[in-house]
Structure formats: C-alpha cells, structure tokens
Amino acid sequence: MRIKILHKTTYLYNKNVPRLSQSLRLYPTECKNQSIINWSINVDRGKIKYLYMDSLGHRTYSLTNKNIEGEQNIIAKGEIETKDFSGILKGHNEKVSPHCFIRYSDLTNPSNKIITLSKKISDPKDHVSLCHQLNQISAKSIKYQTDSTSIYTSASESLEKGRGVCQDFAHILITLARYCGMPARYINGFLYDKNNSITSSHAWAEIFIEHLGWVGFDPTYHKCTDQNYVRVCAGFDSLDASTIRGTKTNYDGDEELMVDVSITEG
C-alpha cells in the first residue's frame, strides 16, 4: 500500500540560543518492506546537510543555527510504498551485530515486575512462539492512556503506574525479550490506522530470531508489523532511537516542543 506522511516538529525558544546543533534521523528505512517514492526534509531556519549513513542504516543529517530565537520548524514529508512480510525486516543494510542489542539500558532494566511477567511464559515450542507470547504478555501488562508517561519513563516505572503509551509497551517487550536472552530494539516510525482519527508517530519493538532475522512486534496493537507501518529509526530504547537530537550552547532559557503528524493512504 501507499502511505503519505507529513511530520512537523516545532521548537520554541524564549531566549536567544547562541549556537544550536541538531542531528536528524528522519529518513525512512531503505529495505524491501518499504520503498521510498519521494521524501524531503525541510527547515525554515538554519542549514541542513547530509552527513552519512550510520552503522544501523540511518541517513543522518546535521542542522546548525546561530543566534536563533522564537520558532523553529523541521518538516519531513513524503510517500512510501509498503509491503507485508509478516513482520520480518528484509533487505536492510546494517553493520551492527544483533547481539549488541541484548544489553539493557536505563529505560529497559529488568525489575521484579518484569521477572514476574516472564513467569507467564508457558512452554514455547520455539523462539517464534516465545516472541509471540512475550508480545501478548506485554500487551496485557498495562493499560493504554495518553499523556500518562514521559520520554524518560522506564519499563519498570510504567509497570508500576499500570499505564502508558506505545513507547512504554515497546520498552516492556524489549526488556522481557532481553531478559529471556533475545536481542531486542526500539523502533520509531509511523502507523497508518484507518480506524483511528488520532495520527502521531508510533513505536514498537524488533526481536532478533535466528533463521528469520529482525521481526517487528507491536504490543500496543497485539500483532506483528505489516504494510501499515513505516519504519524510520532504531535504538536501544526511545531516547537512543530519537529522530531529532540537539545540543544548545550557552543557553539558559526554556524550550517548548510540538509535533504535528498527518498520515493518509496514498
């Protein structure tokens, strides 16, 4: 299917920022699961420059500004043609060993609640059935509630709260998979859902299964990824997989962030 995406990020600075350096990873993954018909990244302030393709296959851009104050807009938009491979990531060029993603991060450290969740696993026949069990266990571990957590909320903290958003479901699944000895990573991207009028960026997990490779699991929707998903960025957790990172030099003011997303079928 074809999916059209418009992703607008707006930053507001209430004082002058002497120097602002940002790294952008807003270009969709190039693989057999999705073909990029057209895609652009535009800014209304500063200079954007393509830097390199990193070891995980992200096209990475830099954006620099000097003496910026007020509003800054970063707009990524385009059209993607997607295919359904039952969640299996195919044809993606990356140089990092999957086993790199077996280590925990601050947001995915196992707690007693994670260990308790792992005890719900019942005699999986193989790694595929194990991963499906983990996805369903994660899906039922908390309730979905918007604005209930922040980008700094860990898997353990969302379990304590009993609620969260897609980011938290993904963190729980990643932590469970790693606890079971399977490499897992966080994915930032987009989901087209014709039954949901709310459009935003989305998050899910990939688990590495021998003989299959990386497979996408979405505990928020209780399923594997399919043709409705557009993959953009991968990392150890939500912070590591952030599509925009920035460093401000000698700035003592406030920063506000707003994100507006439109996702339609092409």
Side-chain angles (χ1 to χ4, degrees):
M1 70 181 298
R2 290 194 173 193
I3 300 175
K4 292 182 178 179
I5 299 168
L6 172 62
H7 181 274
K8 180 181 178 182
T9 304
T10 300
Y11 291 95
L12 292 173
Y13 306 101
N14 68 334
K15 293 183 180 180
N16 179 68
V17 185
R19 182 174 178 84
L20 174 62
S21 300
Q22 293 165 299
S23 174
L24 313 181
R25 295 182 297 176
L26 285 162
Y27 200 92
T29 303
E30 297 171 84
C31 60
K32 291 182 179 179
N33 304 65
Q34 53 192 46
S35 301
I36 300 163
I37 299 170
N38 60 76
W39 194 262
S40 64
I41 304 172
N42 297 297
V43 297
D44 61 353
R45 304 178 74 172
K47 294 181 180 179
I48 188 170
K49 178 183 179 182
Y50 173 72
L51 292 179
Y52 53 78
M53 182 83 75
D54 72 12
S55 56
L56 285 172
H58 303 126
R59 286 192 181 219
T60 305
Y61 297 78
S62 69
L63 174 59
T64 57
N65 274 283
K66 291 183 178 181
N67 297 315
I68 180 174
E69 185 175 351
E71 185 174 298
Q72 176 202 24
N73 294 293
I74 302 172
I75 300 173
K77 64 179 181 179
E79 187 173 3
I80 311 295
E81 185 168 4
T82 60
K83 295 181 180 179
D84 182 9
F85 288 112
S86 302
I88 302 171
L89 180 63
K90 293 191 174 185
H92 179 44
N93 183 24
E94 57 181 301
K95 300 175 182 178
V96 176
S97 168
H99 297 287
C100 173
F101 289 98
I102 206 162
R103 73 173 178 85
Y104 301 113
S105 67
D106 289 341
L107 299 182
T108 59
N109 271 318
S111 63
N112 289 332
K113 283 188 175 290
I114 289 288
I115 295 170
T116 300
L117 279 180
S118 71
K119 294 178 181 178
K120 295 184 178 182
I121 301 167
S122 59
D123 298 325
K125 296 178 181 179
D126 49 37
H127 282 167
V128 174
S129 61
L130 170 60
C131 289
H132 282 288
Q133 280 196 49
L134 294 177
N135 194 40
Q136 292 305 314
I137 290 169
S138 301
K140 298 172 183 177
S141 64
I142 58 174
K143 294 186 180 297
Y144 189 95
Q145 183 178 325
T146 57
D147 301 321
S148 56
T149 56
S150 77
I151 60 172
Y152 302 106
T153 302
S154 68
S156 298
E157 289 168 338
S158 60
L159 283 171
E160 289 289 341
K161 289 174 177 283
R163 57 190 184 275
V165 293
C166 58
Q167 157 199 294
D168 305 294
F169 283 95
H171 280 156
I172 292 168
L173 176 54
I174 290 166
T175 309
L176 270 174
R178 291 175 184 167
Y179 183 74
C180 292
M182 303 191 71
R185 60 190 182 186
Y186 186 99
I187 304 299
N188 246 328
F190 302 99
L191 169 63
Y192 170 69
D193 183 359
K194 64 181 179 180
N195 298 316
N196 192 340
S197 60
I198 299 175
T199 56
S200 63
S201 56
H202 191 54
W204 59 94
E206 285 180 351
I207 304 175
F208 188 82
I209 304 174
E210 294 292 342
H211 309 302
L212 284 179
W214 288 106
V215 182
F217 291 89
D218 185 356
T220 305
Y221 281 81
H222 300 237
K223 65 177 184 177
C224 283
T225 54
D226 54 28
Q227 74 278 4
N228 294 294
Y229 291 75
V230 174
R231 185 185 189 277
V232 178
C233 200
F236 287 104
D237 52 35
S238 61
L239 295 179
D240 190 46
S242 176
T243 54
I244 302 176
R245 297 176 180 177
T247 302
K248 298 179 287 291
T249 304
N250 297 326
Y251 182 63
D252 61 357
D254 296 325
E255 174 187 293
E256 291 184 40
L257 170 65
M258 295 175 288
V259 179
D260 184 36
V261 182
S262 170
I263 306 172
T264 58
E265 185 174 1

